[in-house]
Amino acid sequence: MTKPAEHTSTGATGATRGVSSEAHSLTELVEIQRAAFLRDGIPDADTRIDRITRLAALLLDNADEIAAALAEDFGARPRELSLAADVAGCMIDLAHQRRGVKEWMAESKVAKVQGLLGYKQSIRHDPLGVVGIMGPWNFPLQLTVVPAGSAFAAGNRVIMRPSSVTAKTTDVIAKHAPNYFSIEELAIATSKHGSGSDFAKLKVDHMFFTGSPGVGASVAQEAAKNLIPVTLELGGKNPAVVDVDADIDKAATMLADARMVNGGQVCLCPDYVFVPEAKLGEFTDKVVARWTENFPTIIDNEQFTSTINQKNYERILGLIDDAEQLGATKRQVIPGGEPLPDAERRKIPPTLLTGVKAGMKIEEDEVFGPVLTVYPYRDLSEVISQIGSHPHPLTMYWCGDQNERFQKLADNTRSGSINGNDFAIHLFSGELPFAGVGNSGMGGYHGRTGFETFSHARAVAFSTLPVSVAEMMSPPFLPKDTRLTNNQLKLWKFFNNRAMKKVRKRLGA
């Protein structure tokens, strides 16, 4: 491993190198970073790549300590999951940012033919300045570090606030960050800096938030008071649809596994599944069989992630109890001799619900736990109608071929993404955006989308034309100007009428 001492902070003053973020208030951190941004100007590609590389090193060099802190924060969380998601899982996009930054930051020349005539046009991709990033507790580093990498690629300074719920993990990052970064480049906000609502009030140049729709709305309201743009990555109830021709065994196995990632505490976990009516029993049996195979023990099983805290533990049990009391059928995987659910370890057994109907709380609430609801369907139109009756989800799952039924589902629903036959595979591409829509978020990141989120597309236009727009649009307006205006209207009307005829011909009107 690389020693922390080898990670020098370029462009930082001696007064800020090695200094903990906790030595300053949130407002002071914003002022320090903005002053540094104005002093140093727009960073070159090498500086941006260096910052992204040091961000990766911060995680990689301290991976074991991070995994241990995450296990302590959750109560039980597999080391393999923590390293795969919150350390290695960040590297895909960080590497993509490093590779793409030189190309993305270059000024784009547009309308080249017009440029030859004397009307030169280009687009600069300028950094915004200071970016605030607020993360959730379920993947407290992946969902803060990855957007921070995008912000660095775009040339910004970053103040990052991992969730206070996973305080021990935040403390590890806050402790080690000064070995890799000056607070002029990256500052870590902890609970000592105040609450999340305090952070949302900061006058940064862009606020990025990942979390629940309710809190996201509050963050957007606070940012709006200062006219600060926001990116919101939220959640929602993610549907899964099993096609009539799908392999039921494969579909049940994938969805059973996907529901249990991080104990079900993932914004991309499938919440409810539509299965062809004739195959409902086979599907549910196979889901329960898969969970039984995977979890021969639960209470003392360190591979079974605990629910993050008592509040969420009780909320999930409340959703299950409400559904059962109102007529839903519950099937749970409880190993012999284990008194589950277990409040001390916050372990809830994998739970499958059928017979869920409108009026049950679980019909509307995102579960964020080890519970999967299954509905039978006869026709795809039923599925489309029910999905459409809910707010737009963050993702949607399809089990089956990419056929005409898939196309019908995609064309008649809305979601942040669609994943076919596997869990959250769109995350593993540097070319695909990660973004919600409607209730599941606004704006996106990952790859070039992330770079663009934290950049300002700045138009640049130069003229060496023989005519002057300023002269043409200011008084006095002479008869020749009137003739020119009238001729423009005639010309545009001609073009528009021709376009309308073509459209009507294609539509058969």
Side-chain angles (χ1 to χ4, degrees):
M1 290 194 303
T2 309
K3 296 178 181 178
E6 295 178 11
H7 296 284
T8 57
S9 301
T10 58
T13 65
T16 60
R17 189 179 296 124
V19 174
S20 168
S21 301
E22 292 180 347
H24 297 275
S25 69
L26 286 175
T27 301
E28 289 171 342
L29 291 173
V30 175
E31 292 172 349
I32 289 168
Q33 291 201 351
R34 181 160 289 126
F37 178 78
L38 295 173
R39 179 195 69 217
D40 296 340
I42 295 176
D44 60 20
D46 288 340
T47 299
R48 301 181 193 205
I49 292 169
D50 174 57
R51 288 172 180 167
I52 296 168
T53 302
R54 281 185 275 134
L55 185 63
L58 172 59
L59 297 186
L60 293 169
D61 292 352
N62 302 289
D64 287 335
E65 191 174 352
I66 288 168
L70 282 164
E72 197 171 352
D73 279 326
F74 274 83
R77 195 190 201 223
R79 176 180 180 273
E80 293 79 4
L81 173 65
S82 292
L83 294 180
D86 281 294
V87 179
C90 298
M91 299 304 144
I92 298 171
D93 201 64
L94 294 182
H96 192 71
Q97 297 292 336
R98 277 199 302 260
R99 289 194 302 269
V101 65
K102 286 186 179 180
E103 175 190 347
W104 301 338
M105 67 184 287
E107 191 167 348
S108 305
K109 304 296 183 182
V110 297
K112 294 180 181 179
V113 173
Q114 294 180 22
L116 295 174
L117 299 175
Y119 180 26
K120 297 181 179 179
Q121 303 163 56
S122 62
I123 302 172
R124 292 171 56 96
H125 306 282
D126 288 353
L128 300 172
V130 179
V131 171
I133 297 175
M134 303 176 67
W137 51 261
N138 59 330
F139 294 104
L141 298 186
Q142 182 189 117
L143 299 177
T144 48
V145 168
V146 172
S150 295
F152 280 150
N156 300 285
R157 312 295 174 115
V158 175
I159 304 176
M160 193 168 81
R161 188 187 189 279
S163 173
S164 56
V165 174
T166 46
K168 290 180 171 56
T169 304
T170 299
D171 288 344
V172 170
I173 294 299
K175 177 180 70 174
H176 291 295
N179 296 326
Y180 299 80
F181 289 96
S182 158
I183 56 173
E184 292 181 354
E185 302 169 295
L186 175 68
I188 309 298
T190 69
S191 58
K192 295 179 181 178
H193 288 104
S195 65
S197 60
D198 294 325
F199 191 89
K201 293 180 175 69
L202 288 179
K203 294 182 179 180
V204 293
D205 298 295
H206 191 103
M207 185 65 74
F208 185 101
F209 170 82
T210 302
S212 70
V215 179
S218 298
V219 171
Q221 287 175 344
E222 292 295 343
K225 293 175 184 177
N226 297 311
L227 296 180
I228 293 169
V230 296
T231 299
L232 302 177
E233 300 299 339
L234 311 176
K237 291 182 72 65
N238 301 313
V241 182
V242 179
D243 192 17
V244 291
D245 293 337
D247 183 316
I248 290 295
D249 185 61
K250 288 183 179 179
T253 297
M254 187 277 285
L255 292 169
D257 290 349
R259 177 70 268 188
M260 294 305 298
V261 175
N262 202 36
Q265 299 166 108
V266 187
C267 57
L268 292 167
C269 275
D271 238 65
Y272 59 108
V273 185
F274 295 97
V275 180
E277 187 175 54
K279 300 179 180 179
L280 178 67
E282 181 185 2
F283 178 85
T284 56
D285 286 346
K286 288 183 180 297
V287 169
V288 171
R290 179 67 173 183
W291 285 341
T292 302
E293 176 187 357
N294 287 350
F295 305 112
T297 181
I298 291 177
I299 287 182
D300 294 321
N301 185 355
E302 294 299 316
Q303 300 290 314
F304 192 103
T305 304
S306 297
T307 303
I308 185 65
N309 54 30
Q310 195 67 25
K311 177 182 177 182
N312 279 285
Y313 173 83
E314 292 175 358
R315 179 187 60 80
I316 296 165
L317 292 182
L319 292 175
I320 297 170
D321 291 344
D322 173 77
E324 190 176 20
Q325 289 169 11
L326 293 176
T329 299
K330 175 182 73 175
R331 295 179 66 182
Q332 292 184 312
V333 174
I334 300 178
E338 295 195 6
L340 289 167
D342 181 271
E344 181 182 353
R345 297 169 180 83
R346 301 189 303 279
K347 297 281 185 80
I348 299 172
T351 302
L352 188 145
L353 296 174
T354 54
V356 170
K357 296 179 175 61
M360 299 178 183
K361 294 178 182 178
I362 204 164
E363 255 278 297
E364 302 298 330
D365 294 353
E366 183 179 5
V367 179
F368 231 64
V371 184
L372 188 66
T373 298
V374 183
Y375 300 97
Y377 76 92
R378 295 181 181 179
D379 187 85
L380 193 60
S381 60
E382 302 169 32
V383 174
I384 291 170
S385 177
Q386 188 159 343
I387 292 174
S389 69
H390 289 83
H392 302 326
L394 186 57
T395 196
M396 180 187 302
Y397 292 95
W398 172 260
C399 297
D401 295 333
Q402 198 167 353
N403 53 29
E404 70 280 358
R405 290 183 294 277
F406 167 79
Q407 197 63 49
K408 180 179 179 181
L409 179 72
D411 288 345
N412 291 280
T413 57
R414 298 292 176 267
S415 62
S417 60
I418 304 175
N419 285 283
N421 299 319
D422 207 348
F423 173 70
I425 49 176
H426 71 297
L427 296 181
F428 301 100
S429 168
E431 306 300 329
L432 295 176
F434 181 79
V437 61
N439 196 69
S440 57
M442 62 175 73
Y445 68 120
H446 283 206
R448 187 163 191 158
T449 300
F451 175 89
E452 292 171 349
T453 288
F454 297 111
S455 300
H456 170 57
R458 192 176 181 187
V460 179
F462 269 82
S463 176
T464 57
L465 293 168
V467 295
S468 168
V469 173
E471 182 181 346
M472 291 168 58
M473 297 186 70
S474 61
F477 294 106
L478 304 175
K480 68 179 181 68
D481 297 316
T482 302
R483 288 193 300 272
L484 178 61
T485 300
N486 290 339
N487 287 334
Q488 285 184 54
L489 288 175
K490 289 179 182 178
L491 185 62
W492 285 117
K493 190 172 183 179
F494 168 78
F495 285 137
N496 197 60
N497 286 338
R498 190 170 67 173
M500 288 176 66
K501 289 178 181 178
K502 290 181 178 179
V503 169
R504 287 171 179 168
K505 185 177 181 180
R506 288 196 295 266
L507 294 174

